[in-house]
Amino acid sequence: MKKVVVPGIFLAALSSPLFMEEAQAASITKYVEVNKGSVLNVRVGPSVNTNIVTTLNTGTKVNVLSETNGWSKVNVDGKTGYVSSTYLITKQENSIKYVSINPSSTLNVRESASTKAKVLTKLKQNTKVEVVSESNGWSKIKVNGINGYVASEYIKADQTEEKKTTDTSNEQKTATKYVNVNTGSSLNLRNSPSNSASIIVKLAKDVGVTVYSESNGWSKVEVYGKQGYVATQYLADKKSTVNSEQSKETGVKTTTKYVNVAKNSSLNLRKEANTSSSVLTKLSRGAKVTVLSSANGWDKVNASGKTGYVSNSYLSDKQITDTTTEASDTESGQSNSDKSPTIITKKVNVQTGSNLNVRSKASTSGTIKGKLTAGTVVTVISEKNGWSQIKTNNLEGYVSSEYLTSVTTPENGTDDQTDPEEDKQPEETPTTVEKKVNVQAGSSLNVRSTASTSGVIKGKLTAGTVVTVISEKNGWSQIKTNNLEGYVSSEYLTSVTTPENGTDDQTDPEEDKQPEETPTTVEKKVNVQAGSSLNVRSTASTSGVIKGKLTAGTVVTVLSEKNGWSQIKTNNLEGYVSSEYLTRITTPENGTDDQTDQEEDKQSEEAPTAVEKIVNVQAGSSLNMRATPSTSGTILSKLAAGTVVTVQSEENGWSKIIVNNLEGYVSTEYLTAKDNGSTNVTINKSYVNYNLTLEDMTNIQLKVNPQTDTKYDTYIREDAIVFKTSDSTKGTVLGSGWRLRGGAGTDYSVVSTLTSGQVLTVVSKVKGTDGYYWYKVDYSQAWVSASKEDTAYYLNPDNFINSDIQSLQFLKLSAKANVDDKEVDSKILAGKGILAGKASAFVTAANAYGINELYLISHALLETGNGTSTLANGVEVNGKMVYNMYGIGAYDGSAISSGAEYAYNAGWFTPEAAIIGGAKFIAQGYINAGQDTLYKMRWNPDAAEKTGTATHQYASDIGWATKQVNQIYNLYSLISTYTLNYEIPTYQVNAK
């Protein structure tokens, strides 16, 4: 099926929800796996600060409804809650597999599923093992009477033939499959195997993908040079239709090149453009190849009668002689596993005026030995886990690899990544350091058998005890004393000699839940803004009942403090408050080391007024947004330079921020204050009065079943289901057409319509408003029918017109922004590849076709990957270079050739011609049809008024318009000269 860019279609990629109901993966069964004698907490919400619903023993069977950010929503014994995904496994019958590694290597069997765990034994190639379970890339096995863990990728179902070469014996098996969805639908490629994960790209029907692995209803795939996850049920072994366009490579000339690798090395010719693909043959140094096409660092070539892909870093335009400089042999046919790492030279890549810390070990907890300024040249000795061991004339240590760049020819590097390998030898033990236990007097620190609160307690350490720290990871330290070895929470260790320097290690969110000892009571006072109050709750959680409120300055007695909550007492009240809003009475300057509670009550005790700041990194770079205030925290998103974020709080060098409806943490040093200096902004507002009431408009929309990703309580009438087993929590739907409603009664809105035989999990039973009994059931569908109340909310302009961001859904995209092209070049397009310096072309396009310049720029930045795509940078067709800035005419499977052919026929022979000519295409469709605001694209009030129907709407998601405005707001926030033209709909107050 051909897929072309439809005018306005790029907006859907700016937010995660689909504009149609997406394919859903079914719930799956998993089993609890915790240490013997331990239990797994089931909590009310996905946070360790929420109440415990129940506890589960190892081996307990649970039904996993969804998974996100390390938490699984589960149903067990009629109860629904959240558990840590780490402690769930997919149970299976024990299977027999064989070790598959280099014949000269061995595979470590470890005590636990971690490369830091103790090695129990080593296994040779083809050793037979019994696999008990698999989880997170590790397999629990039995071999020779030993139970342990090995990396799953190094055991296979079949024995490895000894004659196989080193390069192929460790390669991951892949398969090519095709997207199998309804015509007109698309399949989401997500960044993790979960329906709540961010969408990377949408895949059309029959698009081919490379499948690396399949697990729990999800397939890990690669497509268009991107890796991610799709629902397995929507992949097929064959295309449903044959697309003759897919095999064409129209107008692309072939060229001749030569293999340039080290002497006695060879270059792998692979079946597909990735290092996991099978090797078709090996090409010797100097071999002549015919290059058919080039993309993402790979060349499709014909050589030795075979067609495949090679890394283009190892091809030369000139014939290779004995004096030709050799390329790196990273992708050569010979194994590099036994070689010492090549010593290379790089330079420090930080902003001018900044410097890079050189630490004593590969961790932010390492002592700072010195600082390197921008441009300093260093010798890189080795690189691992994001850290580089470096050396200068007078300094040696470790630096973060992301701030190093090649000195002279980064383009000569290799895009062909090395295959992941299991520890070749035990890694070197980092330099040990001494620290001391830092707990309150009279308390003690638990030493555990593993780096987890579920580990067995091996002993307790008193305050001030000096320990030797062997390693540190994810908030846990492996320590040793004279008679004890194990793991402790890094939070409760401090440097022996210089505690005032602090530590970069963040609080471990799963720190021991058992109170060590009640600390001595102290008095503190409530520190909230004047006029605000602090909630006192029944439990140390925002889900606790509010027992009372304390005004600013109220003195309280603190009985204990843990996980960001303080148990307090006043003359007439006792309960829990967020520690963040308490301060010492006499010496507030001493502060507190307690971290801000991430789940703090969002009511009146909120933190100080949030401020907006801008991401300040180098053009082309991005800033990691993490789940916790630590460099070991999970990366939730990457923020481009100039992104506007809302800062909620700042502490210990980290800022808690919100951006695009996502909350997380970034390093404070890469944020700068938003420029509120002199501006030249013109704001024009016009109002369009519709002869409809908001009630009329809502009823019209409800007829086409608008969708939402909001989670509703759901109910089914008692006579709609039957219990076919002894399990009173599993009800089977009798017949088709039964409606699932948002409350117990037929007067509540329909959430979904059920099919016969569908099994529902029953939570409780209540008497309905219609006299029937209704079952409250758990329903995990991602997209459901929106309620009348929620639909009316998103239809009502009054809910959004007073927000700087949300009001942009009323921005007229058919009106020029009147930007200063020089300012746009310097503040928006700088560092954006081929688009840099092209602001005047966008202004010309806006004038020619009546379309907002920043709307065009936003589209171009998205489609070209910030100006770096092949189509944007020029493709030769029939001897002429052509350019395509909006991906117009690009078909799935042949995007470059078909997009280039479209540009050739359109006469886009310069970047400027592509920008201006493509704008005409973008303006067609919704904008020229009069739906020239995001609000009108979604709701089309003109058609509703004229015909009484909901038609020609861009999306079915009621919140779609509110999810598109952030990218446009970010661009406006970067400049100071522009015009905002709003068109705001108004509805009749009284019925007609």
Side-chain angles (χ1 to χ4, degrees):
M1 182 190 81
K2 293 182 180 179
K3 176 187 173 187
V4 297
V5 175
V6 178
I9 200 72
F10 78 98
L11 286 165
L14 299 179
S15 66
S16 58
L18 276 170
F19 60 88
M20 58 184 68
E21 196 166 332
E22 68 173 284
Q24 295 296 309
S27 61
I28 57 174
T29 299
K30 289 192 177 184
Y31 298 83
V32 175
E33 184 181 53
V34 294
N35 290 341
K36 187 176 181 181
S38 298
V39 292
L40 179 62
N41 293 332
V42 181
R43 296 185 178 273
V44 171
S47 166
V48 294
N49 292 325
T50 58
N51 291 339
I52 296 173
V53 177
T54 186
T55 58
L56 306 176
N57 295 318
T58 190
T60 303
K61 177 181 175 181
V62 300
N63 188 33
V64 180
L65 307 176
S66 63
E67 193 171 347
T68 183
N69 296 329
W71 289 86
S72 292
K73 185 177 182 181
V74 303
N75 183 276
V76 57
D77 296 332
K79 296 177 180 177
T80 300
Y82 294 82
V83 299
S84 174
S85 302
T86 306
Y87 302 104
L88 295 182
I89 62 169
T90 303
K91 209 167 189 178
Q92 55 188 30
E93 294 298 323
N94 291 6
S95 60
I96 300 300
K97 291 191 177 183
Y98 300 88
V99 174
S100 178
I101 55 175
N102 292 339
S104 59
S105 300
T106 57
L107 178 63
N108 294 331
V109 180
R110 297 188 180 270
E111 188 176 45
S112 60
S114 167
T115 55
K116 299 295 184 183
K118 178 182 177 182
V119 177
L120 302 176
T121 186
K122 294 177 182 287
L123 305 178
K124 294 182 179 180
Q125 165 87 324
N126 283 331
T127 301
K128 180 179 177 181
V129 300
E130 183 181 359
V131 180
V132 178
S133 64
E134 290 186 46
S135 181
N136 298 323
W138 290 86
S139 292
K140 185 176 182 180
I141 66 161
K142 294 180 180 179
V143 60
N144 301 330
I146 297 174
N147 294 326
Y149 294 82
V150 297
S152 300
E153 62 182 305
Y154 297 106
I155 54 174
K156 307 294 182 185
D158 300 316
Q159 284 185 293
T160 303
E161 296 180 22
E162 295 297 338
K163 64 181 181 180
K164 288 186 178 179
T165 64
T166 298
D167 188 73
T168 59
S169 63
N170 277 344
E171 290 201 316
Q172 185 177 6
K173 291 182 179 179
T174 61
T176 300
K177 292 192 176 184
Y178 301 89
V179 174
N180 183 23
V181 295
N182 294 332
T183 301
S185 296
S186 59
L187 179 62
N188 291 333
L189 177 70
R190 297 183 180 273
N191 65 6
S192 64
S194 167
N195 283 326
S196 60
S198 299
I199 297 173
I200 300 172
V201 71
K202 296 174 185 289
L203 306 177
K205 183 178 181 180
D206 287 333
V207 170
V209 301
T210 300
V211 180
Y212 292 115
S213 62
E214 294 182 19
S215 179
N216 300 330
W218 291 86
S219 292
K220 183 178 181 181
V221 304
E222 182 170 325
V223 59
Y224 305 145
K226 302 177 186 293
Q227 286 194 4
Y229 296 84
V230 298
T232 304
Q233 63 180 314
Y234 298 104
L235 295 181
D237 293 329
K238 296 180 180 179
K239 289 185 181 181
S240 57
T241 57
V242 178
N243 183 359
S244 61
E245 293 291 336
Q246 198 158 349
S247 61
K248 295 181 181 179
E249 290 183 328
T250 308
V252 179
K253 287 188 174 182
T254 61
T255 57
T256 299
K257 292 191 178 183
Y258 302 88
V259 174
N260 182 19
V261 295
K263 294 176 183 178
N264 302 319
S265 295
S266 58
L267 178 63
N268 292 332
L269 177 68
R270 295 188 181 271
K271 184 177 180 181
E272 296 174 354
N274 62 73
T275 56
S276 300
S277 178
S278 58
V279 177
L280 301 176
T281 188
K282 295 176 182 290
L283 306 176
S284 59
R285 174 177 163 85
K288 179 180 177 181
V289 302
T290 300
V291 179
L292 306 176
S293 63
S294 182
N296 300 323
W298 291 84
D299 282 356
K300 184 177 182 181
V301 304
N302 186 280
S304 304
K306 296 183 179 182
T307 300
Y309 295 84
V310 297
S311 173
N312 59 23
S313 301
Y314 301 98
L315 295 182
S316 171
D317 295 326
K318 299 179 180 179
Q319 286 186 294
I320 307 303
T321 65
D322 290 340
T323 59
T324 302
T325 303
E326 301 164 356
S328 164
D329 62 357
T330 304
E331 175 52 17
S332 67
Q334 69 182 49
S335 171
N336 292 321
S337 58
D338 297 324
K339 294 183 179 180
S340 300
T342 305
I343 296 178
I344 58 175
T345 300
K346 292 192 176 183
K347 66 180 179 182
V348 174
N349 182 25
V350 295
Q351 291 182 333
T352 304
S354 299
N355 49 42
L356 179 62
N357 292 334
V358 181
R359 296 188 178 269
S360 59
K361 60 179 181 179
S363 166
T364 54
S365 61
T367 304
I368 298 176
K369 300 177 68 177
K371 295 176 182 286
L372 303 176
T373 56
T376 301
V377 176
V378 301
T379 299
V380 180
I381 301 170
S382 65
E383 203 169 341
K384 188 173 185 184
N385 296 330
W387 290 86
S388 292
Q389 184 180 4
I390 62 97
K391 187 176 182 180
T392 66
N393 292 335
N394 57 358
L395 190 60
E396 185 170 349
Y398 296 84
V399 298
S400 175
S401 301
E402 67 179 305
Y403 299 107
L404 295 182
T405 187
S406 299
V407 176
T408 52
T409 56
E411 67 280 5
N412 290 339
T414 174
D415 292 321
D416 193 352
Q417 302 297 316
T418 55
D419 295 327
E421 299 180 7
E422 162 62 4
D423 272 351
K424 300 296 182 290
Q425 300 293 338
E427 300 115 330
E428 292 183 13
T429 305
T431 307
T432 58
V433 296
E434 286 193 338
K435 292 191 176 183
K436 66 181 179 181
V437 174
N438 183 24
V439 294
Q440 291 181 334
S443 298
S444 58
L445 178 62
N446 292 333
V447 181
R448 296 187 178 271
S449 59
T450 59
S452 164
T453 53
S454 61
V456 176
I457 298 175
K458 301 176 68 175
K460 294 176 181 284
L461 303 175
T462 56
T465 302
V466 175
V467 300
T468 300
V469 179
I470 301 170
S471 65
E472 243 176 294
K473 190 175 183 182
N474 297 330
W476 289 86
S477 292
Q478 184 179 4
I479 62 97
K480 187 176 183 179
T481 66
N482 291 335
N483 57 0
L484 191 60
E485 186 171 349
Y487 296 84
V488 299
S489 174
S490 303
E491 175 187 9
Y492 298 105
L493 296 181
T494 186
S495 299
V496 174
T497 54
T498 56
E500 67 278 4
N501 291 337
T503 173
D504 292 325
D505 293 333
Q506 300 299 313
T507 303
D508 178 68
E510 287 291 335
E511 170 53 17
D512 205 344
K513 301 302 181 289
Q514 296 181 8
E516 316 298 62
E517 291 258 342
T518 304
T520 307
T521 59
V522 295
E523 286 193 337
K524 292 189 177 182
K525 65 180 180 182
V526 175
N527 182 24
V528 294
Q529 291 181 333
S532 297
S533 59
L534 179 62
N535 289 334
V536 182
R537 296 186 177 270
S538 59
T539 59
S541 164
T542 53
S543 61
V545 176
I546 298 176
K547 301 177 68 176
K549 294 177 180 284
L550 303 175
T551 57
T554 302
V555 176
V556 300
T557 301
V558 180
L559 305 176
S560 66
E561 215 169 329
K562 190 172 186 186
N563 295 330
W565 290 86
S566 292
Q567 184 180 5
I568 62 97
K569 187 176 183 180
T570 67
N571 291 336
N572 57 0
L573 190 61
E574 185 171 347
Y576 296 84
V577 299
S578 174
S579 302
E580 175 184 9
Y581 300 104
L582 296 181
T583 186
R584 295 188 185 277
I585 296 175
T586 54
T587 55
E589 68 279 3
N590 293 337
T592 173
D593 293 326
D594 295 334
Q595 300 299 312
T596 302
D597 178 66
Q598 295 181 24
E599 292 294 326
E600 168 53 17
D601 204 339
K602 300 300 184 292
Q603 297 187 34
S604 55
E605 70 263 39
E606 288 180 356
T609 305
V611 296
E612 288 188 338
K613 291 193 176 183
I614 296 175
V615 172
N616 183 21
V617 294
Q618 291 182 331
S621 298
S622 59
L623 178 62
N624 291 334
M625 181 178 179
R626 297 185 181 271
T628 57
S630 165
T631 53
S632 61
T634 303
I635 297 176
L636 303 176
S637 179
K638 293 179 178 287
L639 307 179
T643 300
V644 177
V645 302
T646 301
V647 180
Q648 294 182 304
S649 61
E650 289 182 36
E651 191 168 3
N652 296 330
W654 292 86
S655 292
K656 184 178 181 182
I657 67 161
I658 292 180
V659 59
N660 296 337
N661 298 318
L662 192 63
E663 185 173 271
Y665 296 83
V666 298
S667 177
T668 303
E669 65 178 305
Y670 298 107
L671 297 180
T672 58
K674 186 179 172 184
D675 183 10
N676 294 317
S678 59
T679 59
N680 181 19
V681 178
T682 301
I683 298 177
N684 301 314
K685 290 185 179 181
S686 62
Y687 296 83
V688 177
N689 187 27
Y690 290 97
N691 192 28
L692 294 168
T693 65
L694 193 60
E695 174 84 5
D696 294 334
M697 185 65 171
T698 302
N699 289 332
I700 289 171
Q701 302 301 322
L702 290 174
K703 293 177 182 178
V704 294
N705 193 27
Q707 298 289 293
T708 181
D709 49 4
T710 301
K711 176 66 175 175
Y712 293 132
D713 287 339
T714 48
Y715 295 82
I716 186 76
R717 208 168 75 183
E718 64 173 342
D719 53 344
I721 62 175
V722 64
F723 297 94
K724 294 185 175 182
T725 67
S726 59
D727 188 348
S728 61
T729 67
K730 301 298 180 185
T732 302
V733 177
L734 291 171
S736 298
W738 285 103
R739 293 175 174 176
L740 199 64
R741 294 186 178 270
T746 54
D747 51 342
Y748 289 93
S749 61
V750 176
V751 174
S752 185
T753 301
L754 304 175
T755 57
S756 179
Q758 195 168 348
V759 178
L760 301 174
T761 300
V762 175
V763 178
S764 60
K765 186 177 182 180
V766 297
K767 188 72 172 285
T769 57
D770 56 355
Y772 282 90
Y773 278 99
W774 290 69
Y775 290 112
K776 182 179 181 182
V777 297
D778 188 82
Y779 191 71
S780 57
Q781 188 82 8
W783 292 93
V784 297
S785 299
S787 69
K788 182 175 182 178
E789 294 75 18
D790 285 349
T791 303
Y793 174 82
Y794 284 102
L795 275 167
N796 190 349
D798 291 342
N799 293 323
F800 308 106
I801 56 177
N802 294 320
S803 166
D804 289 344
I805 298 177
Q806 290 302 326
S807 61
L808 289 173
Q809 63 182 283
F810 309 115
L811 180 70
K812 281 184 70 67
L813 301 178
S814 60
K816 294 186 298 178
N818 295 321
V819 297
D820 180 345
D821 54 356
K822 293 184 177 58
E823 184 181 31
V824 171
D825 278 332
S826 64
K827 294 183 179 179
I828 294 178
L829 296 179
K832 298 301 190 296
I834 192 71
L835 299 179
K838 301 295 191 298
S840 60
F842 286 104
V843 171
T844 300
N847 291 331
Y849 299 109
I851 189 169
N852 182 287
E853 305 95 299
L854 292 186
Y855 179 75
L856 283 176
I857 290 172
S858 178
H859 190 168
L861 288 172
L862 177 71
E863 291 295 335
T864 66
N866 288 328
T868 62
S869 72
T870 301
L871 274 176
N873 284 275
V875 176
E876 189 173 343
V877 177
N878 298 331
K880 301 191 75 171
M881 293 298 291
V882 298
Y883 302 84
N884 194 328
M885 298 303 178
Y886 306 107
I888 299 171
Y891 302 123
D892 282 333
S894 61
I896 294 176
S897 58
S898 56
E901 184 180 6
Y902 189 100
Y904 181 85
N905 293 330
W908 297 342
F909 301 128
T910 66
E912 290 78 6
I915 291 171
I916 297 168
K920 179 180 179 181
F921 182 93
I922 299 301
Q924 293 170 352
Y926 285 90
I927 293 178
N928 284 353
Q931 290 173 258
D932 57 351
T933 70
L934 294 173
Y935 182 91
K936 291 199 288 186
M937 285 183 187
R938 170 59 189 93
W939 299 111
N940 198 0
D942 294 283
E945 181 185 46
K946 293 175 184 177
T947 68
T949 60
T951 184
H952 199 249
Q953 297 180 339
Y954 186 80
S956 61
D957 176 12
I958 58 175
W960 179 83
T962 67
K963 296 168 183 174
Q964 308 305 317
V965 294
N966 289 287
Q967 171 72 358
I968 298 175
Y969 178 76
N970 285 339
L971 294 182
Y972 273 105
S973 298
L974 295 173
I975 57 178
S976 58
T977 300
Y978 54 84
T979 298
L980 292 172
N981 294 287
Y982 293 101
E983 183 182 286
I984 302 167
T986 61
Y987 296 97
Q988 301 296 316
V989 176
N990 299 313
K992 293 183 291 184

